[in-house]
Amino acid sequence: MDNLFSHASPADEAADPVDALDVVVDTVVVPGSVSQAFIGFTEHTHLWWPLEEHSVFGTGSYVEFEENLVLETADDGRTAVWGTIDDWQPPLSFHASWYPGTTALWSTELRVAFRAVEGGTELRLVHDGWEGAEDPARTRAEYDAGWPQVLARFVRFMGGAVG
């Protein structure tokens, strides 16, 4: 008889399905310097973010990076925190606990980095930490589909061609 206090061996433990969820990585190139791209992304977000499709309050709201937050404000003054910035390295990168439309309890991890390349600046977005989401598989699928749309709007705003 097995000991009542023994633990299952590693071979007996099923793999956690959240661990199987891949990181979402999207990369785009925009014309201009690293500083211009960083400023376009972080200081002019309200001009290019597709609020009609990817926001809490929809068209008419305003999204901005404010101190250590990414914040959306509705036209009636209501606010929603999209994320908390915990590593701010202008103009090279930022990292945020990301949770638009939910609470910090259900946050994922977002890192956006900028680097000079031939023809402009490469923006590399890495989104993971799905284990922090309330529904990890659904959340990952939504961001995997949504980030390319969001970044295409940023490319157009910066004067780049969307292929």
Side-chain angles (χ1 to χ4, degrees), residues 118-140:
E118 187 171 329
T121 298
E122 177 188 86
L123 177 153
R124 178 179 169 88
L125 179 146
V126 178
H127 196 164
D128 64 353
W130 308 117
E131 67 278 0
E134 185 173 15
D135 183 341
R138 181 184 55 96
T139 301
R140 189 214 174 271

Side-chain angles (χ1 to χ4, degrees), residues 22-81:
D22 291 333
V23 172
V24 170
V25 179
D26 285 293
T27 304
V28 296
V29 175
V30 297
S33 71
V34 170
S35 291
Q36 290 169 325
F38 189 87
I39 289 168
F41 196 91
T42 62
E43 292 184 23
H44 301 294
T45 315
H46 63 285
L47 297 174
W48 60 266
W49 191 277
L51 292 164
E52 63 280 359
E53 296 148 355
H54 299 288
S55 70
V56 174
F57 302 119
T59 303
S61 60
Y62 185 92
V63 63
E64 64 187 323
F65 285 67
E66 183 178 300
E67 295 183 20
N68 68 330
L69 300 176
V70 182
L71 185 68
E72 179 183 357
T73 304
D75 55 5
D76 64 4
R78 293 175 294 154
T79 60
V81 175

Side-chain angles (χ1 to χ4, degrees), residues 3 7 9 18 35 37 43 50 55 59-60 68 73 89 92 98 102 104-105 109-110 137-138 143 149 156:
N3 183 334
H7 297 286
S9 68
V18 173
S35 291
E43 292 184 23
S55 70
T59 303
N68 68 330
T73 304
Q89 301 295 323
L92 301 177
W98 193 249
T102 184
L105 177 68
E109 302 298 318
L110 180 68
R138 181 184 55 96
Y143 281 110
Q149 298 169 1
R156 280 194 295 279

